[in-house]
Amino acid sequence: MTHILHRAIKHHYPTAVAGSGIFIRDETGKDYIDASGGAAVSCLGHSHPDVLAAMRAQLDQLEYAHTSFFTSRAAEDLADDLITHAPDGLGHVLFVDSGSEAIEAALKLARQYFVERAEPQRRHLIARRQSYHGITLGALAVGGRAWQRKQFAPLLIETHHVSPVYEYRERRSDETSAAYGERLAQELEAKIAELGGENVIAFVAETVVGATMGAVPPVPGYFRRVRDICDRHGILLILDEVMCGMGRTGTLHACEQEGIRPDLMTMAKGLGGGYAPIGALLLHDKIFDAIAGGSGAFQHGHTYMGHPLACAAALAVQRVIRRDNLLANVRSQGAHLARRLKERFGNHPYVGDVRGRGLFQGLEIVADRGTKEPFDPQLKLHARIKREAMARGLMVYPMEGTVDGARGDHVLLAPPFIIDAPAIDTIVDRLADSIDAATAQ
Ligand SMILES: Cc1ncc(COP(=O)(O)O)c(C=O)c1O
């Protein structure tokens, strides 16, 4: 008997009692390889001694001071660290407690920016189908996951959606990747023309799509075109790097690989690495200057924002990643993981596509490789795969609705940055057994 409203009421969740490196142990003593970092969170693995030491040291000094009274050394140090390594022009940071809150803050700050600049007619937000930006109402409204939005639709603010980059299914066979990217850019142009460029606040996108489609990278040149289009209309570009950021794809920020910088950028999961709840919003100097020279305050705040313990944890996580050169490991082990997945699943009857970047890889599950027909959603194949994987001591992150928010299944892998090749080989073996068992039922 539990008094928690768990995510799925009928599901029995094992009780996690310990974590160490890439493993989580339940109360029966069974170990699970954390091959998804939870949901792309645990970038350093579990119980990293340096992070725990930094958190203990912070608690010995100061546990909390409300941000309307004080700043804290921990928050200032983390802000300095993030801005030192931020894309050009992003000079300030707002701390929050989750990815959804970071997106909510981005949407509101974008709107306030235009109000401060005497452009109050700007009211439209454009995002992409098949995206996930979080679960609170604003984040859900810009998100493009149909099944999650449906019952809350009457409560959602008006937003507009264009196509995601989804090469596996949506690039035409007579089209190059570049031509496909150009077609998507033109779709965005057309949407902006329909709304009136002077009425649009922002375009919101995950640099590499995570939870909804399973590690889908953009085609080369797409984001450069998006950046140009936004600039031409004075529209802000909000990149959501809550899942794909902070090293997950092999560079600190996923947008570095696109050769662009956003105006607002969200981060969360890998920022605190699971050691404490924290999210952040990085903002361009032009936005900071507009507010500093205008009303003087962003009308927004949370009780726990900039929590010293969370900031100390996040700073320690980021320092360990740099000190131990873990992004090099993300790149080399990411290449190993991609290679092993392609070897194992490249001709698998039920795996249509293997994709991703760095230690952020996805498999799209299909009933028929030739036609790309997904499995019947009633079969809940994603849930079966998860169950089979957990039975084999493996945590992966399978999801439904990959194709259109209703049909399709994928599996997301996002192991900790400390992973090595033998562990990756074990992950791939256990995953193959899990998929075989799930599809044989
Ligand atoms: C890209 C993206 N944005 C926002 C969120 C929401 O983050 P949180 O669950 O911390 O609210 C997520 C979570 O999966 C995400 O993947």
Side-chain angles (χ1 to χ4, degrees), residues 7 39-41 97-103 131-136 139 145 205-212 240-244 266-269 278-279 360 397 412:
R7 285 177 178 247
V41 174
D97 309 309
S98 68
S100 301
E101 288 177 10
I103 283 288
S131 55
Y132 185 64
H133 295 297
I135 211 70
T136 50
R145 199 186 230 172
E206 291 166 83
T207 318
V208 178
V209 178
T212 42
D240 183 351
E241 297 216 353
V242 163
M243 194 179 251
C244 64
T266 56
M267 51 182 61
K269 294 167 185 278
I278 184 165
F360 197 43
Y397 199 52
L412 184 68

Side-chain angles (χ1 to χ4, degrees), residues 184-204:
L184 295 174
Q186 283 172 16
E187 184 188 335
L188 176 61
E189 291 260 34
K191 176 58 76 180
I192 291 170
E194 178 193 320
L195 299 170
E198 71 288 359
N199 298 323
V200 178
I201 295 173
F203 178 61
V204 189

Side-chain angles (χ1 to χ4, degrees), residues 21-22 24 34-47 248 269-275 317 321 395 414-419:
I22 64 167
I24 289 190
D34 188 356
S36 55
V41 174
S42 300
C43 53
L44 278 191
H46 301 275
S47 304
R248 178 62 48 207
K269 294 167 185 278
L271 174 61
Y275 288 86
V317 168
I321 289 173
M395 290 165 60
F417 301 175
I418 54 170
I419 197 93

Side-chain angles (χ1 to χ4, degrees), residues 122-429:
R122 288 200 189 248
R123 53 184 285 264
H124 294 300
L125 296 163
I126 306 175
R128 303 190 298 183
R129 285 189 284 110
Q130 293 301 93
S131 55
Y132 185 64
H133 295 297
I135 211 70
T136 50
L137 288 174
L140 201 58
V142 282
R145 199 186 230 172
W147 63 266
Q148 235 167 8
R149 294 167 48 96
K150 201 167 165 217
Q151 68 173 319
F152 300 107
L155 306 184
L156 302 181
I157 54 168
E158 182 192 7
T159 53
H160 304 269
H161 290 85
V162 293
S163 302
V165 183
Y166 191 6
E167 233 190 329
Y168 170 60
R169 285 187 184 273
E170 296 188 1
R171 178 170 65 77
R172 293 195 291 251
S173 55
D174 63 348
E175 216 172 26
T176 61
S177 295
Y180 172 52
E182 180 54 33
R183 174 158 62 85
L184 295 174
Q186 283 172 16
E187 184 188 335
L188 176 61
E189 291 260 34
K191 176 58 76 180
I192 291 170
E194 178 193 320
L195 299 170
E198 71 288 359
N199 298 323
V200 178
I201 295 173
F203 178 61
V204 189
E206 291 166 83
T207 318
V208 178
V209 178
T212 42
M213 296 203 297
V216 181
V219 290
Y222 167 80
F223 271 113
R224 280 184 199 273
R225 283 285 281 122
V226 166
R227 180 72 268 183
D228 286 349
I229 293 168
C230 288
D231 285 345
R232 215 162 347 100
H233 297 282
I235 294 169
L236 297 178
L237 175 59
I238 302 175
L239 287 184
D240 183 351
E241 297 216 353
V242 163
M243 194 179 251
C244 64
M246 301 318 282
R248 178 62 48 207
T249 65
T251 47
L252 184 62
H253 308 298
C255 62
E256 290 170 42
Q257 295 175 51
E258 303 311 311
I260 55 147
R261 59 135 193 88
D263 300 301
L264 290 156
M265 181 163 69
T266 56
M267 51 182 61
K269 294 167 185 278
L271 174 61
Y275 288 86
I278 184 165
L281 173 65
L282 267 53
L283 53 139
H284 193 273
D285 294 336
K286 71 181 176 191
I287 300 174
F288 178 83
D289 292 344
I291 298 200
S295 69
F298 176 34
Q299 257 186 56
H300 195 79
H302 294 282
T303 301
Y304 281 118
M305 66 197 300
H307 194 283
L309 184 60
C311 291
L315 183 58
V317 168
Q318 300 313 314
R319 283 181 173 159
V320 171
I321 289 173
R322 264 200 308 280
R323 183 197 68 196
D324 296 351
N325 199 17
L326 288 178
L327 295 193
N329 204 52
V330 174
R331 291 189 288 271
S332 61
Q333 294 308 327
H336 180 67
L337 176 60
R339 198 165 46 243
R340 288 299 328 277
L341 289 172
K342 283 187 176 129
E343 278 164 19
R344 193 65 179 251
F345 297 106
N347 289 309
H348 193 286
Y350 300 127
V351 178
D353 193 28
V354 178
R355 59 210 177 203
R357 272 196 193 158
L359 286 174
F360 197 43
Q361 298 285 325
L363 305 182
E364 183 160 338
I365 311 294
V366 288
D368 183 321
R369 272 177 73 86
T371 62
K372 304 184 182 175
E373 185 61 25
F375 277 91
D376 178 353
Q378 305 291 335
L379 295 176
K380 299 231 167 275
L381 203 75
H382 62 285
R384 285 191 195 171
I385 295 172
K386 187 168 178 181
R387 201 164 50 237
E388 293 294 338
M390 286 291 276
R392 289 165 175 76
L394 179 69
M395 290 165 60
V396 292
Y397 199 52
M399 240 342 135
E400 64 192 314
T402 318
V403 180
D404 54 12
R407 298 174 313 137
D409 303 88
H410 66 262
V411 179
L412 184 68
L413 294 168
F417 301 175
I418 54 170
I419 197 93
D420 59 17
I424 285 176
D425 297 345
T426 307
I427 290 169
V428 173
D429 288 346

Side-chain angles (χ1 to χ4, degrees), residues 58-79:
Q58 180 60 46
L59 280 179
D60 285 341
Q61 275 182 10
L62 172 71
E63 87 298 346
Y64 176 71
H66 193 280
T67 46
S68 70
F69 297 88
F70 295 103
T71 184
S72 70
R73 197 64 266 151
E76 294 291 344
D77 288 349
L78 178 61

